[in-house]
Amino acid sequence: FEFNAVGREAMDRLEGLVKAGYPPGLAALLLKEAEQIAVRVYLLDNSKSTLTQDGHVLAGDVYQSTTRWEEIKAMTLQQAELAALTGVPAEFFILNPGARNPAPVEDHDFIRIDPAVGDPKVQMGKLVSMMLENDPQVRNGSNLSARLGNIGQRLDALQLNGRTVMLVVVCDGAPRAARVGGTTDKDRKQFVDVLRQMSLSYRMYIV
């Protein structure tokens, strides 16, 4: 494998991934892919439905039953670690924050993991705190469209330089604008329209 990054840095990252348990071939592929990715963005559902006890987390070689929220938190920390190891920035947004600002505010509305601008261990500590502060027991509603709009605002402020954005929506419910009540055709259409507009505005993969 050949890398465009500085050789020593690329080898250090490769060694870090292998030490973390990634097979050498997969580690090399992740670093090759990293050259094309500007940022990975995760939208994390913390609505009350995520307290449902049908999630699973891997503990050693065994899957343990847990809530959906605990599974989301475990995935979040794994992806944050991957960002630290590969050097590809990752930003984590809570779907239903306690207080929402007109535009996303770093360390409040979202946490950025980026070893180029700070210590990933400190950044991951902030990420853990954000998830603890936004416990799903007191949250309801899944206004996905509004939160995706916030993410679009954030992407507009970044220097993407034509590289790819990976958007991962980690959600177990249908979109809805109201805090109470079910989803409507209008909610679903708005959600699809927002995703379509984002896919046209950025070079983006959506999961």
Side-chain angles (χ1 to χ4, degrees):
F1 293 90
E2 296 181 358
F3 302 102
N4 295 331
V6 177
R8 183 66 257 170
E9 180 182 356
M11 287 305 300
D12 288 344
R13 294 201 183 283
L14 182 62
E15 290 173 7
L17 285 164
V18 172
K19 287 180 181 178
Y22 292 86
L26 177 58
L29 184 61
L30 286 169
L31 292 179
K32 187 66 177 177
E33 179 188 59
E35 298 173 7
Q36 307 300 321
I37 300 175
V39 63
R40 290 189 175 98
V41 180
Y42 300 83
L43 179 56
L44 310 174
D45 190 356
N46 65 326
S47 56
K48 289 178 69 175
S49 61
T50 61
L51 293 174
T52 303
Q53 191 80 24
D54 61 1
H56 296 85
V57 295
L58 186 62
D61 296 328
V62 179
Y63 276 105
Q64 295 184 345
S65 296
T66 186
T67 64
R68 297 174 187 175
W69 177 239
E70 290 299 323
E71 183 175 339
I72 289 170
K73 289 198 295 183
M75 179 279 299
T76 297
L77 294 179
Q78 290 170 348
Q79 294 302 308
E81 180 184 56
L82 181 63
L85 289 169
T86 61
V88 177
E91 297 192 351
F92 298 87
F93 289 73
I94 289 288
L95 176 57
N96 301 297
R100 187 167 297 167
N101 294 297
V105 177
E106 189 170 354
D107 294 340
H108 182 275
D109 297 284
F110 70 94
I111 302 296
R112 182 178 176 91
I113 307 296
D114 185 356
V117 298
D119 184 347
K121 291 182 179 179
V122 174
Q123 296 165 350
M124 289 179 71
K126 293 179 180 180
L127 179 59
V128 170
S129 295
M130 182 182 74
M131 289 189 291
L132 288 174
E133 291 168 3
N134 289 276
D135 190 280
Q137 292 192 46
V138 293
R139 311 293 174 195
N140 204 356
S142 300
N143 197 341
L144 285 165
S145 300
R147 205 60 173 141
L148 287 171
N150 289 151
I151 291 173
Q153 288 178 292
R154 172 61 180 166
L155 292 176
D156 288 340
L158 295 178
Q159 297 294 324
L160 301 177
N161 298 320
R163 291 179 295 162
T164 299
V165 174
M166 304 291 292
L167 173 62
V168 183
V169 180
V170 187
C171 183
D172 69 351
R176 60 185 181 186
R179 280 287 189 179
V180 294
T183 185
T184 66
D185 289 342
K186 181 179 179 180
D187 293 335
R188 289 189 286 271
K189 181 180 185 303
Q190 183 181 30
F191 176 61
V192 171
D193 288 345
V194 170
L195 284 179
R196 182 179 292 115
Q197 184 58 48
M198 292 182 79
S199 68
L200 293 173
S201 299
Y202 314 101
R203 183 177 179 180
M204 175 179 283
Y205 290 108
I206 302 172
V207 179

